[in-house]
């Protein structure tokens, strides 16, 4: 490593997929997290430190913080999902759960799971990203801290967006503003004053700085390699700046904090950098009669794994279909798309669909989170690890998911239905993202926000309204049917409809129509079918499809 200069930045993924898009429980405040930080260290022999087992967290969350068990599991499961595991390990976990025949057996399997305790505390703290306060909503500022913290004024100005999860200025501002608190959470109890604050002599352990690598990473000027924070902090030429002592094997709290503040800069792989200097993609075309031009940008040509992004905006009145290396493992944001059919048939890391209207989205398996915000009359068809929805109206979700769908605030008339399509590479893509067909909780959503405690905010699609969805593109691959099949009630509804069609065809055949009658009948059926295409919007989808030979190349490229 060259000593010429260290650049640090706040990682995007913990905020993109780790911070739930809702205010956190009040018991996740700094006051309670400090108490937890002290408590876990006294329960090291009981599975609380340095690894926190589900059973220990359940005791803390339910017994100490008085949180419902399903909320405690929700946060534990989200964080565990961010840990580095192979797809094979994820599939093995799904198989274990699918073999459980009772809640007790499920709980027994969960008790085997553990997470890094200090990183989990940081994860709980960053849930404050979406905390709502009266002052913030009125003037866009945070409450003043009792201790002054340096903060760049331009960060505050740029971070006033509704979706802070995708705003890297918000990520940097949050960490800069709360850096002292984050570091104090990592301190051993004896390093804190009686008021649970650091002192001028406080020391941060190596384990604490390793935990902070969950949020911060960096590089050295002129280098392409990305290093976790702790590797840079422990690099010998930087010991004087980072405050590391070879004798005590610890960091000076105040030297470490000062070094972090001086070195933090904009994330070179964040949304802002992607929009400013990312590669522009000509995936969409300008449609006559639309005022705005579609914009699609990516950083996948320069970004390493888990830093890849594709941002898509203002795709209107067209069909867009891609299965591409550009999408592989990328965080995807789809923004302000209207009256379109969008197929992204590749393994994806996460997807956010925001402020879209009257559109259908068919997605490849999404490894972490799929979130919808402020969408109207949207249909989403996807296999995903987690689905969450907020401020949506009249949206329908055909999903296959191993976790309970989350209904956050502001939703109206949400419909859930079984996953009902396939494309040739689907099962291969599912295996690459560690997603299995069981367990599948599409029909067991969790209403998280208090305003939505009434379950009437959602419904399950009646089988009588159910139809399969055909993905109209040719690709190489072995999947020829819907993975896992359909629930029996929905399959029966399809079989019954198919029987009626066969009876109708038989009736027409046995009517012995004359040639002119057959011609008139055919015209009548075609006219009715054409009316149906127009009324359902499918006519527009057919008109915007590219010819099959080109579609095949486009879908594959």
């Amino acid at each position: 490593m060259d000593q010429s200069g260290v650049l640090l930045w706040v990682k995007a993924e913990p905020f993109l997929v780790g911070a739930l898009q809702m205010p956190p429980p009040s018991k996740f405040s700094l006051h309670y997290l400090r108490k937890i930080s002290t408590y876990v260290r006294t329960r090291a022999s009981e599975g609380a430190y340095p690894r926190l087992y589900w059973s220990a967290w359940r005791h803390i969350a339910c017994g100490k913080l008085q949180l419902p068990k399903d909320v405690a599991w929700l946060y534990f499961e989200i964080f565990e999902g961010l840990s580095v595991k192979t797809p094979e390990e994820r599939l093995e976990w799904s198989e274990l759960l699918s073999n459980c025949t009772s809640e007790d057996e499920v709980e027994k399997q969960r008790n085997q799971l553990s997470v890094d305790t200090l990183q989990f505390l940081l994860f709980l703290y960053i849930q404050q990203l979406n905390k709502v306060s009266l002052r913030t909503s009125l003037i866009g500022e945070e409450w003043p801290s009792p201790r002054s913290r340096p903060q760049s004024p331009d960060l505050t100005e740029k971070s006033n967006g509704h979706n802070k999860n995708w705003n890297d200025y918000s990520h940097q501002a949050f960490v800069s503003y709360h850096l002292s608190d984050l570091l104090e959470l990592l301190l051993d109890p004896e390093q804190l004053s009686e008021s649970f604050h650091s002192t001028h002599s406080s020391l941060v352990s190596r384990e604490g700085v390793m935990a902070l690598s969950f949020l911060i990473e960096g590089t050295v000027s002129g280098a392409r390699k990305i290093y976790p924070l702790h590797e840079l902090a422990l690099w010998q030429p930087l010991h004087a700046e980072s405050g590391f002592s070879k004798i005590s094997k610890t960091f000076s709290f105040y030297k470490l904090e000062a070094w972090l503040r001086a070195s933090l800069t904009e994330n070179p792989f964040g949304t802002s950098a992607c929009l400013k200097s990312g590669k522009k993609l000509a995936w969409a075309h300008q449609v006559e009669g639309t005022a705005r031009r579609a914009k699609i940008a990516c950083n996948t040509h320069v970004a390493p794994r888990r830093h890849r992004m594709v941002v898509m905006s203002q795709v209107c009145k067209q069909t867009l279909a891609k299965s591409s290396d550009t999408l592989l493992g990328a965080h995807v944001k789809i923004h302000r798309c209207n009256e379109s059919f969008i197929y992204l048939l590749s393994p994806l890391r996460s997807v956010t669909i925001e402020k879209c209207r009257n559109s259908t989205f068919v997605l490849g398996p999404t490894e972490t989170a799929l979130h919808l915000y402020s969408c109207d009359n949207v249909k989403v068809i996807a296999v995903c690890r987690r689905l969450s929805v907020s401020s949506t109206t009249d949206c329908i979700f055909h999903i296959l998911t191993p976790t309970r769908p989350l209904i956050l605030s502001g939703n109206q008339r949400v419909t859930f239905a079984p996953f009902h399509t396939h494309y040739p590479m689907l099962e291969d893509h599912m295996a690459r993202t560690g997603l299995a067909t069981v367990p599948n909780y599409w029909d067991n959503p969790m209403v998280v926000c208090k305003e939505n405690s009434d379950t009437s905010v959602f419904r399950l699609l009646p089988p009588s309204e159910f139809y399969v969805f055909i993905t109209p593109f040719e690709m190489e691959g072995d999947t020829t049917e819907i993975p896992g099949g359909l629930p029996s009630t929905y399959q029966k509804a399809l079989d019954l409809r198919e029987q009626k069609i066969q009876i109708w065809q038989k009736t027409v055949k046995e009517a012995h129509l004359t040639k002119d009658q057959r011609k008139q009948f055919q015209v009548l059926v075609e006219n009715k079918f054409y009316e149906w295409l127009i009324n359902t919007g499918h006519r527009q989808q057919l008109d915007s499809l590219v010819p099959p030979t080109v579609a095949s190349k486009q879908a594959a490229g």
Side-chain angles (χ1 to χ4, degrees):
M1 283 189 282
D2 179 10
Q3 193 180 347
S4 57
V6 170
L7 301 174
L8 302 177
W9 58 83
V10 178
K11 295 164 67 173
E13 182 161 286
F15 294 92
L16 274 179
V17 299
L20 274 180
Q21 292 87 343
M22 68 176 190
S26 59
K27 297 296 178 69
F28 286 1
S29 67
L30 181 61
H31 170 75
Y32 286 101
L33 293 182
R34 280 173 172 156
K35 287 190 171 185
I36 296 173
S37 180
T38 300
Y39 178 82
V40 292
R41 289 171 168 86
T42 66
R43 296 292 190 274
S45 62
E46 300 170 24
Y49 188 84
R51 302 285 300 179
L52 180 67
Y53 282 80
W54 160 241
S55 56
W57 167 241
R58 183 183 62 223
H59 171 71
I60 294 170
C62 302
K64 305 291 184 182
L65 304 182
Q66 299 297 301
L67 294 177
K69 181 182 171 184
D70 55 357
V71 173
W73 172 248
L74 170 63
Y75 284 97
F76 191 88
E77 184 180 44
I78 290 174
F79 180 71
E80 197 279 333
L82 289 173
S83 61
V84 179
K85 288 190 175 180
T86 65
E88 291 75 19
E89 289 174 318
R90 297 289 181 197
L91 292 172
E92 286 174 12
W93 170 249
S94 294
E95 185 177 2
L96 286 173
L97 288 185
S98 65
N99 290 331
C100 293
T101 57
S102 68
E103 185 62 33
D104 287 342
E105 289 186 17
V106 171
E107 199 66 11
K108 186 177 179 181
Q109 293 298 337
R110 289 179 177 178
N111 287 339
Q112 306 301 313
L113 293 178
S114 69
V115 297
D116 183 283
T117 306
L118 294 181
Q119 287 190 5
F120 186 63
L121 287 172
L122 297 177
F123 164 78
L124 295 180
Y125 189 88
I126 69 170
Q127 302 304 316
Q128 304 291 330
L129 178 75
N130 290 310
K131 182 178 180 180
V132 177
S133 71
L134 179 60
R135 182 179 177 88
T136 301
S137 62
L138 289 176
I139 62 175
E141 296 177 357
E142 299 286 352
W143 287 102
S145 168
R147 292 175 293 166
S148 61
R149 296 186 176 98
Q151 183 178 11
S152 171
D154 64 319
L155 291 180
T156 309
E157 182 181 351
K158 293 178 182 177
S159 65
N160 291 335
H162 288 294
N163 191 345
K164 293 182 179 180
N165 294 64
W166 269 84
N167 189 328
D168 46 307
Y169 292 114
S170 289
H171 307 165
Q172 187 180 346
F174 181 90
V175 171
S176 296
Y177 188 85
H178 298 287
L179 185 57
S180 295
D181 294 339
L182 291 166
L183 286 171
E184 285 177 352
L185 278 179
L186 303 174
L187 289 176
D188 292 329
E190 62 269 16
Q191 300 295 328
L192 294 166
S193 66
E194 291 183 4
S195 60
F196 290 98
H197 288 300
S198 60
T199 67
H200 284 288
S201 60
S202 293
L203 300 174
V204 184
S205 66
R206 291 176 59 160
E207 292 74 22
V209 176
M210 288 179 70
L212 198 57
S213 296
F214 170 64
L215 295 178
I216 300 174
E217 63 188 3
T219 190
V220 180
S221 296
R224 293 180 61 88
K225 185 176 179 181
I226 297 174
Y227 298 91
L229 170 65
H230 65 273
E231 289 189 15
L232 292 169
L234 289 168
W235 185 38
Q236 185 169 350
L238 288 176
H239 286 179
E241 294 178 62
S242 66
F244 181 70
S245 167
K246 285 186 176 181
I247 299 173
S248 65
K249 306 294 184 185
T250 57
F251 293 82
S252 162
F253 182 98
Y254 284 94
K255 281 191 175 182
L256 177 63
E257 181 182 6
W259 175 65
L260 291 173
R261 290 193 185 281
S263 303
L264 276 175
T265 186
E266 179 182 334
N267 184 348
F269 308 111
T271 313
S272 302
C274 179
L275 293 174
K276 285 179 191 173
S277 54
K279 182 180 180 182
K280 304 301 184 286
L281 301 173
W283 288 359
H285 55 272
Q286 181 70 14
V287 175
E288 186 177 349
T290 58
R292 296 182 176 180
R293 181 176 296 277
K295 299 174 183 177
I296 306 175
C298 75
N299 68 1
T300 52
H301 59 297
V302 294
R305 184 173 176 267
R306 293 204 179 188
H307 296 71
R308 297 157 65 92
M309 283 187 180
V310 175
V311 181
M312 181 183 305
S313 183
Q314 298 172 176
V315 176
C316 295
K317 297 184 178 180
Q318 58 188 286
T319 295
L320 187 156
K322 293 297 291 184
S323 180
S324 165
D325 286 344
T326 300
L327 291 167
L328 183 62
H331 296 283
V332 178
K333 182 176 182 179
I334 305 171
H335 180 253
R336 292 191 182 280
C337 294
N338 189 28
E339 297 181 50
S340 292
F341 298 84
I342 296 177
Y343 300 78
L344 303 180
L345 307 180
S346 294
L348 309 170
R349 181 66 179 167
S350 77
V351 179
T352 297
I353 302 174
E354 182 179 294
K355 297 182 180 178
C356 294
R357 309 281 182 270
N358 309 317
S359 297
T360 295
F361 301 94
V362 185
L363 305 173
T366 304
E367 190 175 1
T368 57
L370 165 59
H371 178 68
L372 270 81
Y373 168 73
S374 191
C375 293
D376 295 341
N377 193 31
V378 158
K379 177 185 289 185
V380 178
I381 305 169
V383 180
C384 60
R385 186 159 308 280
R386 178 174 310 285
L387 169 72
S388 60
V389 298
S390 59
S391 302
T392 67
T393 302
D394 294 320
C395 292
I396 180 169
F397 302 94
H398 288 266
I399 56 167
L400 192 166
T401 177
T403 62
R404 297 179 65 186
L406 302 179
I407 300 178
L408 308 181
S409 63
N411 296 287
Q412 299 180 54
R413 298 182 295 279
V414 179
T415 300
F416 295 102
F419 184 74
H420 66 331
T421 193
H422 63 87
Y423 61 91
M425 289 292 290
L426 177 56
E427 287 172 307
D428 177 69
H429 290 170
M430 289 174 65
R432 293 170 72 173
T433 51
L435 290 166
T437 58
V438 288
N440 183 7
Y441 293 110
W442 72 269
D443 57 349
N444 187 23
M446 179 177 173
V447 182
V448 181
C449 295
K450 291 181 180 178
E451 66 172 60
N452 285 338
S453 57
D454 181 2
T455 55
S456 63
V457 71
F458 75 90
R459 69 165 189 155
L460 301 183
L461 185 73
S464 60
E465 299 177 22
F466 178 79
Y467 294 84
V468 294
F469 185 92
I470 305 301
T471 302
F473 301 104
E474 294 182 0
M475 302 166 62
E476 293 182 358
D478 299 324
T479 302
T480 57
E481 57 187 16
I482 299 168
L486 294 171
S488 59
T489 53
Y490 291 87
Q491 186 60 55
K492 287 177 182 177
L494 291 181
D495 293 343
L496 182 60
R497 194 177 295 127
E498 180 63 28
Q499 289 176 11
K500 290 181 179 179
I501 292 173
Q502 292 176 357
I503 292 172
W504 170 250
Q505 291 173 336
K506 183 179 179 182
T507 302
V508 172
K509 185 177 181 180
E510 293 176 350
H512 302 296
L513 300 177
T514 64
K515 186 176 181 180
D516 287 341
Q517 287 174 327
R518 286 200 302 271
K519 200 170 185 180
Q520 291 175 359
F521 181 72
Q522 184 176 354
V523 170
L524 178 64
V525 170
E526 288 175 352
N527 288 340
K528 288 293 183 182
F529 180 63
Y530 185 76
E531 289 178 15
W532 176 81
L533 285 176
I534 293 175
N535 292 336
T536 58
H538 294 312
R539 168 65 193 275
Q540 177 199 326
Q541 182 182 14
L542 290 175
D543 288 347
S544 61
L545 285 173
V546 292
T549 54
V550 180
S552 176
K553 292 176 183 177
Q554 184 168 342

